[in-house]
């Protein structure tokens, strides 16, 4: 076997380890899926009638708000999984299993690759469930097959970016508790963006932040693809943010992984 074949085989083994952990500890997966569903039901059925009154002119209402809020809920789904990923990484680092892996004849990249691929599969599963529930509630996107493929491409890009950032946060955390808190800021970004209300309705300072933070560009791209709204240059900005966050998270995680074997 070549070096690349060994790395692929070891990565597959680490992926199976992480998938088995998800099966044996389903509470975290249930939280990742259940949390966004609670917010979806809350905002549509409790706030949707009022918030939707300002959308779509005279036709605005709960149904119009459901069309508006689904991309924001999808971003909450991606951000929520980051917390679980950071916790899993911190558990491996603090419990000594990574130190044990370093003494074994396995690819050093396999540990991180297994975590990243496992977290991405978990996130994409949660996204499919959230979209399915939204459809049951009456979400009727106008997207064709090409737009759906593009939307899942955008979701995969931001999932990869947020996952690598979460791996970096988990590696840098001093404890599991701090790892569970550090990604919390990501859950707030859809609120401080265009996820739940248009940025035009926000105060000036908050509106500036909302318009230029990375999640807004992703949300507007998803909204345009799924509901036929204007996308403008948001797709390019979203791709640039995803690339920058992915590279930053990857380099941070790799440096932390190689820096201190005895932490």
């Amino acid at each position: 076997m070549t070096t690349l074949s060994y790395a692929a085989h070891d990565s597959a083994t680490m992926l199976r380890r992480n998938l088995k952990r998800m099966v044996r500890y389903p509470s975290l997966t249930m939280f990742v899926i259940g949390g966004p569903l609670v917010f979806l039901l809350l905002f549509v059925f409790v706030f949707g009638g009022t918030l939707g009154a300002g959308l779509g002119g005279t036709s605005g209402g709960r149904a119009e708000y459901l069309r508006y809020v689904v991309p924001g809920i999808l971003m909450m789904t991606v951000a929520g999984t980051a917390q679980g990923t950071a916790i899993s990484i911190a558990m491996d680092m603090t419990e000594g299993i990574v130190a044990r892996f370093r003494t074994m004849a396995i690819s050093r990249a396999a540990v991180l690759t297994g975590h990243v691929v496992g977290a991405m599969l978990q996130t994409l599963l949660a996204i499919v469930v959230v979209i399915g529930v939204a459809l049951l509630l009456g979400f009727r996107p106008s997207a064709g097959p090409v737009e759906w493929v593009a939307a899942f491409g955008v979701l995969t890009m931001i999932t990869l970016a947020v996952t690598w950032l979460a791996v970096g946060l988990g590696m840098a955390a001093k404890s599991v508790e701090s790892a569970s808190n550090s990604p919390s800021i990501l859950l707030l970004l859809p609120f401080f963006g265009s996820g739940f209300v248009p940025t035009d309705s926000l105060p000036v300072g908050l509106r500036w932040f909302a318009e230029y933070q990375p999640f807004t560009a992703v949300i507007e791209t998803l909204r345009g693809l799924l509901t036929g709204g204007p996308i403008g240059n948001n797709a390019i900005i979203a791709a640039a943010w995803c690339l920058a966050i992915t590279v930053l998270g990857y380099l941070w995680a790799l440096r932390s992984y190689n820096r201190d074997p005895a932490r």
Side-chain angles (χ1 to χ4, degrees):
M1 295 178 69
T2 64
T3 303
L4 184 60
S5 299
Y6 275 117
H9 180 269
D10 292 342
S11 297
T13 301
M14 290 298 165
L15 175 59
R16 285 197 299 273
R17 171 180 177 267
N18 286 286
L19 293 178
K20 286 182 178 180
R21 172 187 282 180
M22 293 176 194
V23 173
R24 291 175 180 173
Y25 303 97
S27 57
L28 191 57
T29 302
M30 295 299 294
F31 173 78
V32 167
I33 298 175
L37 291 180
V38 170
F39 276 97
L40 177 64
L41 297 174
L42 176 67
F43 274 86
V44 171
F45 290 108
V46 178
F47 305 124
T50 300
L51 294 175
L55 301 172
T58 57
S59 63
R62 188 168 284 113
E64 189 67 26
Y65 189 69
L66 177 60
R67 281 172 56 87
Y68 182 87
V69 81
V70 166
I73 296 295
L74 292 176
M75 282 309 305
M76 283 202 68
T77 307
V78 174
T81 311
Q83 193 172 32
T85 303
I87 292 173
S88 296
I89 290 284
M91 288 176 63
D92 279 356
M93 296 297 287
T94 56
E95 291 177 354
I97 187 65
V98 171
R100 175 67 178 129
F101 286 151
R102 286 191 175 104
T103 66
M104 301 171 65
I106 62 175
S107 169
R108 293 178 68 83
V111 177
L112 297 183
T113 302
H115 273 291
V116 169
V117 177
M120 289 191 66
L121 291 176
Q122 187 182 41
T123 306
L124 294 176
L125 171 64
I127 286 172
V128 170
V129 173
V130 169
I131 291 176
V133 172
L135 292 173
L136 291 175
L137 294 179
F139 178 57
R140 295 295 178 264
S142 59
V146 175
E147 287 79 11
W148 273 110
V149 171
F152 272 103
V154 173
L155 287 167
T156 302
M157 280 196 311
I158 189 63
T159 298
L160 178 64
V162 171
T163 300
W164 271 116
L165 181 61
V167 172
L169 289 170
M171 286 281 177
K174 300 296 183 184
S175 65
V176 176
E177 288 76 16
S178 61
S180 67
N181 295 327
S182 52
S184 299
I185 185 66
L186 298 176
L187 287 171
L188 298 177
L189 288 182
F191 291 98
F192 297 144
S194 65
F196 294 88
V197 295
T199 56
D200 293 344
S201 65
L202 300 175
V204 176
L206 184 56
R207 184 194 312 165
W208 183 90
F209 175 79
E211 289 176 346
Y212 291 100
Q213 59 116 325
F215 279 15
T216 293
V218 177
I219 290 170
E220 289 303 312
T221 303
L222 290 173
R223 186 169 287 135
L225 290 170
L226 294 178
T227 64
I231 296 178
N233 59 356
N234 283 306
I236 298 174
I237 297 174
W241 271 116
C242 290
L243 178 61
I245 296 171
T246 301
V247 172
L248 173 66
Y250 170 77
L251 294 177
W252 186 18
L254 195 62
R255 182 180 179 185
S256 300
Y257 185 74
N258 291 326
R259 184 178 55 190
D260 185 11
R263 57 164 290 181

